[in-house]
Amino acid sequence: MTGLRLYLVRHGEPVDSDMFIGHANVGLSPRGLRQAEAVARALADVPLRAIYSSDLERALIGAARIAAGRPEHPAPLALPALREMNLGVLERVAFRDGRAHAPELASIGYDDLFDHRFPGGESVRDLAERVVPCIITLAARHLRGPDEPRRSPPPAIAIVAHNTVNRVVLACAAGLGPAGYPRFEQAHGALSRVDFPDTWSAADPWAGTRIGLVNRLPEVTEANERNR
């Protein structure tokens, strides 16, 4: 049986989306705001016990929309451990100027960043070393308690984070470990879900986890974009 449902949300489209953005703190574009509202509507019927987000503005906006979508939803809690990967010298650099700051961009791509750090930044492995313990802590905190009826719906929480963060979590849930991150696309405003079993244990945190949803864009967002 499911002991916890974890909804993973990637923030909506940011402003300045034509540049490299990792730890850079930027807001959402008008399209990104519509995406955040669509996710909030998609989760409005889910009785969330907690809402967490990265402490970067583009994620905080989405978390606030989810919290406002249902009167019973709790206020979001921001966690720096859920930030996107730090891109170092590439932060806020336009895509067209990237190679001037990091010449290795000529020969590597996003799928090659598991052990590669741009100067002053992080690798995907570095990100996983802060993200995975955070996720395990949250799962332990909110897993269905021994006194809660097993016939009731499982507890649910939402996390609003970033592309690489969500990919790493999904890869771990699939049994691939963080290195499997390239296999899980995460569009702006995408909704995914990981189910943790009642038998969950921090000693083997990904045993029995199931992926219930990956990279779904709420239909309202898609309709809005078609009607622009």
Side-chain angles (χ1 to χ4, degrees):
M1 295 181 64
T2 300
L4 175 67
R5 282 189 168 163
L6 167 58
Y7 289 90
L8 285 170
V9 178
R10 186 185 179 192
H11 62 77
E13 178 187 83
V15 297
D16 300 326
S17 59
D18 59 347
M19 62 178 58
F20 293 95
I21 299 172
H23 274 203
N25 201 17
V26 300
L28 296 180
S29 70
R31 179 182 179 184
L33 290 170
R34 290 194 295 274
Q35 290 168 331
E37 292 287 356
V39 171
R41 285 191 290 271
L43 292 176
D45 292 332
V46 180
L48 297 170
R49 293 193 177 184
I51 302 169
Y52 298 95
S53 80
S54 156
D55 65 345
L56 297 175
E57 182 180 359
R58 57 194 187 273
L60 289 169
I61 292 171
R65 295 296 196 279
I66 293 170
R70 180 184 176 103
E72 299 87 352
H73 280 168
L77 179 62
L79 301 175
L82 297 174
R83 285 186 177 192
E84 179 58 285
M85 183 167 58
N86 187 340
L87 299 179
V89 296
L90 286 176
E91 291 284 357
R92 292 185 180 270
V93 173
F95 293 146
R96 66 179 180 274
D97 300 327
R99 290 185 186 179
H101 291 75
E104 63 267 41
L105 278 176
S107 59
I108 67 170
Y110 178 72
D111 291 0
D112 305 311
L113 298 181
F114 188 68
D115 279 314
H116 181 85
R117 298 185 191 94
F118 294 110
E122 294 178 299
S123 65
V124 175
R125 186 189 296 274
D126 295 329
L127 175 145
E129 288 177 354
R130 58 177 165 82
V131 168
V132 172
C134 178
I135 297 298
I136 291 171
T137 297
L138 297 181
R141 182 180 301 168
H142 295 289
L143 193 77
R144 191 201 311 262
D147 298 329
E148 294 186 64
R150 291 302 186 261
R151 294 184 180 275
S152 64
I157 66 173
I159 292 177
V160 185
H162 306 270
N163 182 33
T164 313
V165 172
N166 292 4
R167 283 173 177 253
V168 163
V169 175
L170 289 166
C172 288
L176 302 174
Y181 77 97
R183 296 183 59 177
F184 295 92
E185 182 179 354
Q186 290 287 280
H188 287 127
L191 182 63
S192 302
R193 194 188 81 223
V194 174
D195 294 340
F196 292 83
D198 267 335
T199 56
W200 184 86
S201 168
D204 192 2
W206 303 107
T209 54
R210 301 185 306 275
I211 297 175
L213 191 67
V214 177
N215 199 37
R216 183 174 78 84
L217 292 175
E219 292 183 7
V220 173
T221 298
E222 294 172 352
N224 285 349
E225 289 306 309
R226 287 195 297 269
N227 294 330
R228 284 183 66 190

